[in-house]
Amino acid sequence: MDNRGSSPPYYPYQNTYPYPHQPPAQYPPPPDQYPSGQYPPPPPDQYLSGQYPPPPSDQYPPAPYPYPYSSSAPYPYQPAPYPYPSPAPSSTPYPPSLSPTSSYPPSPSSASSHSGPFDYNQPPYPYPYPPARPITHSGPLPTIQQQQGSSSFKYDSTQYQYQQSGIYPPPESPQQSPLRPSRFSSHQRYESCPVGIEASAYPPLDQLLSNVHLSENRPTEPSAPPSSTPSSARCDKVGEFYGYPNSSFSSWETSSTYSGQLESPSPVYSQSSSFNGSQHGQSMQIVPLQNKGSLKVLLLHGNLDIWVYEAKNLPNMDMFHKTLGDMLMKFPGTGSSKANGQSNRGITSDPYVSISVANAVIGRTYVISNSEFPVWTQHFNVPVAHHAAEVHFVVKDSDLVGSQLIGVVAVPVEHIYLGARVEGIYPILNASGKPCKPGAVLRLSIQYTPIERLSSYHNGVGAGPDYYGVPGTYFPLRTGGKVTLYQDAHVPDGCLPNFILDGGMPYVHGKCWNDIFDAIRHARRLIYIAGWSVWHNVRLVRDGGGASNLTIGDLLRSKSQEGVRVLLLVWDDPTSRSILGYKTDGIMQTHDEEIRRFFKHSSVQVLLCPRTAGKRHSWVKQREVGTIYTHHQKTVIVDADAGHNMRKIVSFVGGLDLCDGRYDTPNHDLFGTLKTVHKDDYHNPTYTGSTAGCPREPWHDLHSRLDGPAAYDVLTNFEERWLKASKPQGMKKLKKTVNDSLLKLERIPDIIGASHAASTSDNDPETWHVQIFRSIDSNSVKGFPKDPKEAFCKNLVCGKNVLIDMSIHSAYVKAIRSAQHFIYIENQYFIGSSYNWSHYKDLGANNLIPMEIALKIAEKIRANQRFVVYIVIPMWPEGVPTGAATQRILFWQHKTMQMMYETIYKALVETGLEAAFSPLDYLNFFCLGNREAIDGKETSVSGSPTAANTPQALSQKSRRFMIYVHSKGMIVDDEYVIVGSANINQRSMEGTRDTEIAMGSYQPHHTWARNHSSPRGQIFGYRMSLWAEHTGIIEDCFTQPESLDCVRRIRSLGEMNWKQFAAEDVTEMKGHLLKYPVEVDRKGKVTSLPGCENFPDVGGNITGSFLGIQENLTI
C-alpha cells in the first residue's frame, strides 16, 4: 500500500466542499503595499448621521485641564479644546479613507435616541492614565518613514481575548458572510512557575509544590465591596480630552484644531516599570494604579471595532543592547546580531500594542522588530462584557524576557458609548502622564456597538438559509451531516424512558462505548485515536457476549495485524518515565508509558506527545507549559461503510477518554458493581491510603459521533497534531526519514472525500449542521502560517512565537448571546469573568462565559421575559477535597457564582421585581450524587481496617458519594448543542494552555426560527434523557425549561435529594440531581449551607479557601 505520505493536510481540502463560509478577502493590504497615509476609501457609513443624540449639555461641563507637558519640552504639540466625538465612518474591513490633502475637521454631531447604560453599582475604576488628547501643532508632524528595522515579524507572549475582524458581524447585518476571527485569550505570563492542577486531567498542585518554583508575588488585598453609589457616578477632577477624532487621516503633516472640553482624570501617576516577572501576564493588562478619575464606569456589552494603524517616534527601549553593541563593534571579527546592532544599524524597540478593558486584555497587535515608526494596520472585532471607564492601548517593547512598557493611550468609554467612531492621533503617555518621547503618537480608531444593535443574536440559531454558524473560525459550518449524542459510556436497554420527537420519531439512547467498539472493529483502512489517556486494559463492551472479554489493546493490535493503520496520539505525562528499567506511573496515572510498552512490538504506532512551548519561549515558560498543561482532546477517527463499496470517515468527539474509571451507566452504582463490571476498573482518587470496601467514583460524561463533512475536520485536526508531534527533534533531524504514518486519503480511491461526504440532504428533517471548534496553538499543530499577516486568513490569533485557534470560546459566547429561552450546562469546572468579581479582579480568569450568562439573564429580566439557566457541576473537583488545589478551584468557583447572582439581583432591583422573584428563579447550580442501601446480597470486601473517622470509613458507613460530572457540554433552547473536551475555565478556553476540541451542531428543521415553537428534535430528546437520568422522573413542565413552574420544580427536586443525601439515615436514592450545597439569599449572596460548611464524609470547605499564593493554573 503506497497510500501514505508526510505532507501536511490540505486546508480546507483539495476537493473544495461547498460550505457557505467565505474566505476573508476584505482584510486591508499589508502596510508595505501602501505608502503611509494612502489607503483605499471606506464603504458608506452604516450609521447615518442623526442616529445618535448629542450628549446632554451638562454631561461634559467645561473645565480647565492642567496640560501635563512642560512648555520648555521639545514637544511640538499644544493643547487644544476638543468637542464630543461625532460619528465617523463605521467599522469596515478597510481602514477609513486617507487623503493626502485632508485635514481633521470635526464631523457633525448625531441626533437620535439610544438606550442608556445599565445601572450597575460598581466600584470606581482606577485610571492610570489621563484620557487620550487630540493634538494640535504649529509645525508639521513628522512624516512616516520606512521601518528602520527588520521586515520580519515576531509574536509576543501577551495573548488576548479576540483579534482580527469578523467574528461578530456588523450591526443589523445577520446575513453577511463572516470575516476574520476575533478570539479571546488571556494567557498569563509567569517568570517563575506557579503550580496548580485541574482535577482528573492535571497534575495535583500539592504534588508539584516540591519541584516547581512558585511566584513570590503576593496577591493584593481584596478590594472594597461594590459601592452603593451608581456606577456612572463621577469623581471630582476634570479636564480636557485631546485627540484627532473622526479624522480622515492622510498625512502626519496636516494640522487640526478643535474646541470644547471634556472631563478627564488628573495626571498623577505612580512609578511604571517593565512587567517582566509580573504575576499578571497575558490575560491581565496591568498599568500603574493611579488616582480615580472623573469618567463614568459604564457597561460595555456588545462588540468593539478597533483599528490600530501605526505609531510614530517611539523611544528606543533597547539602549542597553545598543551600548553593548557599540562596545562589541570595537572588537575585530564581531558579526551582526541583535546585541551588536545588526551590522551597523542601530538596534531599537520591538513594539506592539496591547488593548485592554477593565485590565483584561482583549487584543494585541503582532510585534514589529526594530522600528520606532511601526505600521500595523490591524483590525479587531472584539466581543466585550466589561464594566470600564477607559479602553487602554498599551504600547510595549517586546524583549527576550517579557516586555517593557513604552506608554499608554486611554480612550474614555463614555466617548464611544453612544456608538460614535472615535479616531485620531494620540500622544503616548508614560507613567508620569507626559509623552514617553517628544512626538511619540499612536494612530487608532474605535467604535462600540451595543448588543441590542447586533441583530445576528436576536433570532436564535439557524435563522434562515444564510446562517453561517460561528463566523471567523478555522473550520467553517458543515452541512449534510448526522450526529449521535451520548450520555455516559453506556446506556443499557430500558434504563431510561422513551421520548417521542416531532414526526412521531422515537428518541434512541446511544451506547457510546459499544458504538466506538463496533466502529473500530469494522474499520478497514484507519483507526486514529487521540486522548489525554488511553489504557490498553479497558474493556469497552461489558454487557455480555464474547466482546465483553476483549480489551481495547487486544482489539487495536488485532486490527493492525489486518493491515489497518492504527495510530495513537496520547499526552506524554512528564511525571511518568521508563528509563533503564526504572518506571514511574506518573502523578496523573494516565498509563502513557504502559501503553507504549504494550504496543512496542506491534504495528500499532503510539506517539506520546508532550505539551510543549515554542523554542523561543524562555526556559521557565517551557518548563511551566511542559509540566502543567496537557493535551486534553478525546477523539476516535475511523473509516466506515458508505455504501456502494465505498468508505467514509466517522469521528467521535467529547469528554470520554478510553481509560479506567470512565465506564458507567445512568444508574451510577457505588458498591453494587464492584465485583462485576468494575471488578478490574476501580477508580476513586478522593481517598488516600487503602480503598478496600470504599465506594467507586461514579462517572457522568457527554460524547458524540459525527458522520458527514465535519468528521473530516476532526481528521484534519488529528493530522495537524500528528505531523507536529512526529517532527524529528534533536539528533533525529540528522537522520533522513519520511513520516509516512498518516494515510493520504486522496490516494485511496474507495474513501470518499470531504466534498462528497454529505450523508443527508437539506430537505431531510433529520439533517444536521455541524462545526468543529478548538483551543490549540501552533506549538501543537503543523500547518499554521508563520507570518502573522497570513494567519488572519485562517482566522488565527497572534501570540509570542505562537498562533492560536480559540474558537471554542467564540462558540460559547455566540451561543449564549443567541439564546432566547434557556441554557443548560454540564461542565467539570465553572470559573471565569474574574475582571468583574468583587475581589481578585486581576486573577486572569477572563473568559466571558459567566458574565455573558449573567448579562443574558439581566437583559431578559429588563424585557420582562422568562429565561432560566441550569448549570450542573461536580460536587468538588476530582481529588482530595481538602487539598490546596481543590480548595482553590472551589474558591474561584464561589467567586464566579457570587458575581453572577449579584448581577441578577441588581437587574431585579432595577425593574422593581426583587419582591416577586429571587435570583434562583433564573439561575441554579446543581451537582450529582448517589446513595445505596444495603440489599442483603452484598458481602464485605476484605482489606486493611480503617479508622472510624477517616473518609473511607465514613463513606462506607453512609454509603454515599458524589457522581463526578466530567461533562463538557451546553444545550441552548433545545436547538443547539456543544459537546467536547473543553471545560469552562481559562485552561480550556485560552488556547495556549490545554489543547481542546469540541463540536457545535443543530438541526435546521428543529429550531425556534423555523417552527416558531419549542423544537422537538434530537437535541430536545437528548436534554430530556439527561434530565430523566438525573431526576429519576419525567414531568410535563420539563418540556418548558424557561417556565417558572419548571425551574421551581427542578429546584425543589434538587433540595429534596440533597436532604436525602446528607441525612443520617441510609436510604436508596432514585434521583441523582442535588442542589449545589450553598445558600443563595434573595439578594444573591452566596454562603455555605447552615450546618453544612464542609462536604459530607470527605471534608473540605464547600466554598473553598485561598491560601495566599496566587497563580494561574487552577483557573
Side-chain angles (χ1 to χ4, degrees), residues 211-349:
N211 60 5
V212 183
H213 179 59
L214 291 174
S215 170
E216 297 179 354
N217 297 339
R218 293 289 179 180
T220 56
E221 290 298 322
S223 58
S227 169
S228 60
T229 59
S231 63
S232 61
R234 296 175 180 272
C235 297
D236 55 354
K237 295 196 177 182
V238 296
E240 297 173 346
F241 179 77
Y242 295 87
Y244 283 149
N246 314 314
S247 56
S248 299
F249 177 81
S250 63
S251 170
W252 293 84
E253 299 180 357
T254 56
S255 61
S256 177
T257 305
Y258 291 94
S259 62
Q261 294 175 328
L262 294 178
E263 298 177 338
S264 60
S266 176
V268 182
Y269 307 100
S270 62
Q271 182 180 1
S272 170
S273 62
S274 170
F275 297 137
N276 298 345
S278 170
Q279 190 166 336
H280 322 285
Q282 293 138 346
S283 61
M284 299 302 299
Q285 181 61 66
I286 303 301
V287 292
L289 183 64
Q290 306 302 335
N291 291 351
K292 297 172 181 178
S294 60
L295 299 176
K296 290 183 178 180
V297 176
L298 300 172
L299 173 64
L300 289 177
H301 187 209
N303 291 348
L304 287 178
D305 190 89
I306 298 170
W307 282 93
V308 176
Y309 297 109
E310 53 196 332
K312 292 285 291 183
N313 290 327
L314 296 181
N316 185 349
M317 307 299 289
D318 293 331
M319 293 304 294
F320 170 78
H321 298 289
K322 183 178 185 303
T323 303
L324 179 61
D326 292 341
M327 296 173 58
L328 293 175
M329 289 298 291
K330 296 179 181 179
F331 295 93
T334 54
S336 62
S337 66
K338 180 165 185 176
N340 64 26
Q342 296 192 357
S343 299
N344 299 323
R345 182 174 58 195
I347 193 168
T348 186
S349 301

Side-chain angles (χ1 to χ4, degrees), residues 785-1046:
K786 296 181 179 180
D787 191 322
K789 291 179 291 185
E790 297 176 9
F792 306 155
C793 298
K794 290 191 176 182
N795 299 324
L796 300 172
V797 171
C798 299
K800 186 172 186 178
N801 308 309
V802 71
L803 295 175
I804 312 164
D805 181 350
M806 304 192 56
S807 50
I808 293 179
H809 183 269
S810 303
Y812 269 91
V813 170
K814 186 179 189 305
I816 293 167
R817 288 183 168 189
S818 300
Q820 302 300 316
H821 304 278
F822 78 93
I823 294 172
Y824 175 67
I825 291 174
E826 291 186 5
N827 207 282
Q828 184 182 1
Y829 296 96
F830 196 82
I831 298 171
S833 305
S834 59
Y835 56 82
N836 199 50
W837 296 356
S838 58
H839 304 79
Y840 307 101
K841 290 176 178 289
D842 61 347
L843 180 68
N846 289 332
N847 71 80
L848 301 182
I849 294 171
M851 188 63 173
E852 288 285 358
I853 291 174
L855 292 177
K856 170 60 72 172
I857 295 174
E859 168 197 323
K860 291 296 185 177
I861 290 173
R862 292 187 181 90
N864 197 25
Q865 298 174 0
R866 286 298 306 160
F867 191 89
V868 181
V869 178
Y870 306 84
I871 300 175
V872 180
I873 54 179
M875 195 176 297
W876 66 83
E878 190 178 29
V880 180
T882 56
T886 305
Q887 282 292 294
R888 193 164 304 163
I889 293 170
L890 290 166
F891 187 77
W892 306 140
Q893 179 178 280
H894 173 252
K895 294 299 179 187
T896 304
M897 290 182 181
Q898 183 65 69
M899 178 273 295
M900 297 176 72
Y901 279 118
E902 286 178 355
T903 302
I904 296 168
Y905 174 68
K906 288 170 185 174
L908 289 171
V909 171
E910 291 173 14
T911 54
L913 298 175
E914 71 274 17
F917 303 99
S918 78
L920 290 174
D921 289 330
Y922 300 90
L923 172 65
N924 286 272
F925 287 86
F926 301 94
C927 56
L928 303 178
N930 198 10
R931 198 166 196 178
E932 293 179 3
I934 299 178
D935 59 7
K937 300 179 182 178
E938 241 177 272
T939 57
S940 60
V941 179
S942 61
S944 57
T946 57
N949 346 345
T950 62
Q952 291 95 317
L954 294 173
S955 298
Q956 293 178 53
K957 179 181 178 181
S958 66
R959 299 184 64 83
R960 64 189 169 197
F961 203 79
M962 73 160 175
I963 298 170
Y964 192 63
V965 178
H966 191 259
S967 314
K968 297 98 169 52
M970 180 172 72
I971 294 173
V972 175
D973 295 342
D974 279 341
E975 65 180 5
Y976 189 76
V977 61
I978 295 176
V979 172
S981 67
N983 297 309
I984 297 179
N985 61 5
Q986 207 61 26
R987 294 185 63 127
S988 287
M989 293 295 162
E990 187 167 287
T992 58
R993 302 188 185 189
D994 295 335
T995 59
E996 311 283 4
I997 191 169
M999 73 89 189
S1001 59
Y1002 69 98
Q1003 293 182 283
H1005 290 265
H1006 299 282
T1007 65
W1008 278 88
R1010 184 183 183 98
N1011 302 332
H1012 305 288
S1013 61
S1014 301
R1016 291 292 187 270
Q1018 293 292 326
I1019 298 173
F1020 164 80
Y1022 189 44
R1023 180 187 60 81
M1024 292 292 287
S1025 182
L1026 287 167
W1027 283 25
E1029 172 185 341
H1030 298 334
T1031 64
I1033 59 175
I1034 283 297
E1035 298 186 5
D1036 290 341
C1037 66
F1038 291 3
T1039 62
Q1040 294 182 309
E1042 70 273 18
S1043 68
L1044 195 59
D1045 289 342
C1046 182

Side-chain angles (χ1 to χ4, degrees), residues 26-76:
Q26 298 88 349
Y27 190 76
D32 58 358
Q33 291 188 19
Y34 289 94
S36 175
Q38 300 177 17
Y39 299 94
D45 192 359
Q46 330 178 19
Y47 298 114
L48 300 178
S49 177
Q51 275 193 291
Y52 298 98
S57 58
D58 60 348
Q59 188 173 2
Y60 304 104
Y65 187 85
Y67 192 62
Y69 313 148
S70 169
S71 60
S72 61
Y75 191 66

